[in-house]
Amino acid sequence: KAGVTQTPRYLIKTRGQQVTLSCSPISGHRSVSWYQQTPGQGLQFLFEYFSETQRNKGNFPGRFSGRQFSNSRSEMNVSTLELGDSALYLCASSFTREIDGYTFGSGTRLTVV
Amino acid sequence: DAKTTQPNSMESNEEEPVHLPCNHSTISGTDYIHWYRQLPSQGPEYVIHGLTSNVNNRMASLAIAEDRKSSTLILHRATLRDAAVYYCILLNTGNQFYFGTGTSLTVIP
């Protein structure tokens, strides 16, 4: 079956711009979560959505937001980009996370210049 | 947040067993212990998980201490493809997910 698909794979944006990243989960998975990975901070949790509702949120500023659609696809948006937002953004989906675990996508590499 | 502690790095010779430790002294009764690994330029990959009993699958074994405050991921015969960063995390229905820094495993040919 198809895995978790993230688009685009690579993105270059300018400071001050905004960006939207997309994640298509595995069919049947209703939980989608997002992570930011940087060399200095490692993997950091952004937020999790389940059935179109945000279930958990990490410690990121309000510039980072997300949403989930009725087909479980999810988007995350970052407004007013800063250089420090350059990172690999990972999406993961799950059916029942504590029992089944997560399947991760390959990520979107965002570079802010 | 439920947190875990792992060694920063470990080395193993190819085709020898590897034991990757994880401490989670603040684990709660409903936390599942999950292990993931991440190869360079890829997203993390699920390895194994358990609650109280030891678990085996085709990739690895998970040994959970009786008090559940620690666990060990066992790779029975390390191969070069097992070189990755291994993360031990705790999951339940309510917590935020803390990956920690993981253990970088180097496999020596």
Side-chain angles (χ1 to χ4, degrees), chain B residues 51-95:
Chain B
L51 183 60
T52 57
S53 304
N54 295 343
V55 184
N56 300 296
N57 67 20
R58 62 175 181 81
M59 289 181 70
S61 295
L62 176 60
I64 301 173
E66 197 168 332
D67 63 6
R68 302 213 317 132
K69 293 186 176 181
S70 66
S71 61
T72 302
L73 177 70
I74 303 165
L75 306 179
H76 296 286
R77 290 182 65 206
T79 69
L80 297 179
R81 289 177 295 178
D82 292 324
V85 178
Y86 287 78
Y87 296 97
C88 164
I89 66 172
L90 303 179
L91 287 181
N92 64 31
T93 56
N95 69 336

Side-chain angles (χ1 to χ4, degrees), chain A residues 35 37 43 45 48 56-58 90 97-99 101-102 104-106, chain B residues 32 34 36 38 43-44 46 49 87 91-97 99:
Chain A
Y35 298 83
Q37 186 170 33
L43 271 160
F45 171 73
E48 182 204 10
N56 276 301
K57 188 177 189 304
L90 291 158
R97 61 184 185 200
E98 59 271 19
I99 296 175
Y102 279 99
F104 282 81
S106 297
Chain B
Y32 283 76
H34 281 245
Y36 290 78
Q38 187 173 23
Y46 168 82
H49 78 278
Y87 296 97
L91 287 181
N92 64 31
T93 56
N95 69 336
Q96 296 183 13
F97 315 126
F99 267 78

